[in-house]
Amino acid sequence: MLQNRKSDPARLAGDIMRWLDRPLVLVGLMGVGKSTVGKRLANDLGIGFVDADEEIEKAAHMTIAEIFERFGEPYFRDGERRVISRLIDGQPRVIATGGGAFMNEETRALILSGAIAIWLDADIRTLVERVSRRNTRPLLRNGNPAEVLTRLAEQRNPIYAEAQIHVRSKDGPHHRTVTAILEGLARWHG
Ligand code: S3P
């Protein structure tokens, strides 16, 4: 019974909001569901949600694919760092980041010191299935998505692992992943 009470998402969310004093930043590979899960998480906690990729597009008046094409990846990463630093302002909110943001040393340091990083992780098969729904990601345009994602997972997982919280996103409804995040936060806070 106690176990059920602890896992009740509304109760967990209420407890978390009593101590949360920073943004929650979702990191992880393309297709893992950072935006979808992030919106639901923000909704459950009763706080705002912002998608860093969308903020970059708004600031640049261009899509991410256009920024990559016209100015290259380093330019995009710099804009990404600036946008994320603006969004981490001490206010509790949920921020979904693009899959590469946490790889940038400065961006990562900003996130780890001013927010709580949550690594959303899924197996390659699930990621491939999810990224195949959209063809807007420049890093997946040249090459086989399964190969690209496998290589990125090898390079990036050890760095994502620096996040304070690690949650596996399973197949199935996103609310389960949201509950797993709430449980992870409650455990982390102790
Ligand atoms: C990228 C992930 C994308 C986007 C850009 C680069 C990456 O965001 O920021 O295409 O380096 O993994 P999503 O993770 O939201 O797809």
Side-chain angles (χ1 to χ4, degrees):
M1 271 300 121
L2 188 63
Q3 186 59 36
N4 288 342
R5 278 169 50 129
K6 275 198 173 159
S7 304
D8 171 40
R11 188 188 172 85
L12 279 169
D15 287 348
I16 289 163
M17 285 315 295
R18 273 194 268 284
W19 56 262
L20 189 68
D21 58 357
R22 288 173 264 183
L24 303 173
V25 176
L26 298 182
V27 304
L29 283 175
M30 294 176 267
V32 78
K34 298 178 294 279
S35 302
T36 318
V37 167
K39 277 181 204 153
R40 291 193 74 124
L41 175 65
N43 189 52
D44 281 13
L45 291 169
I47 55 179
F49 168 80
V50 63
D51 184 304
D53 278 350
E54 277 178 18
E55 292 299 306
I56 297 164
E57 292 187 331
K58 271 195 232 158
H61 302 288
M62 264 182 274
T63 65
I64 287 171
E66 280 164 354
I67 302 173
F68 266 72
E69 228 168 79
R70 290 178 58 181
F71 301 107
E73 186 171 343
Y75 179 90
F76 169 75
R77 295 299 173 199
D78 195 49
E80 185 171 53
R81 178 185 51 74
R82 276 184 281 118
V83 163
I84 291 173
S85 116
R86 170 168 63 77
L87 296 174
I88 297 180
D89 61 357
Q91 234 191 98
R93 55 155 72 103
V94 178
I95 304 171
T97 61
F102 203 62
M103 298 303 114
N104 178 294
E105 212 174 314
E106 265 184 80
T107 309
R108 186 164 68 252
L110 268 168
I111 297 173
L112 289 173
S113 61
I116 303 171
I118 299 164
W119 172 24
L120 270 192
D121 179 21
D123 56 49
I124 300 292
R125 191 183 50 79
T126 307
L127 296 177
V128 171
E129 211 270 310
R130 294 190 186 148
V131 296
S132 66
R133 296 174 199 160
R134 269 204 296 138
N135 173 32
T136 53
R137 294 179 170 100
L139 297 183
L140 296 178
R141 282 187 172 168
N142 316 306
N144 171 305
E147 277 168 28
V148 175
L149 284 162
T150 303
R151 182 173 46 75
L152 287 176
E154 279 166 17
Q155 290 166 357
R156 292 177 173 182
N157 286 358
I159 298 169
Y160 289 138
E162 290 180 33
Q164 285 95 335
I165 292 170
H166 178 192
V167 167
R168 301 256 332 148
S169 150
K170 310 226 171 60
D171 268 346
H174 280 306
H175 70 81
R176 263 195 233 141
T177 307
V178 173
T179 304
I181 295 176
L182 296 172
E183 288 167 349
L185 279 164
R187 253 196 318 273
W188 177 76
H189 183 252

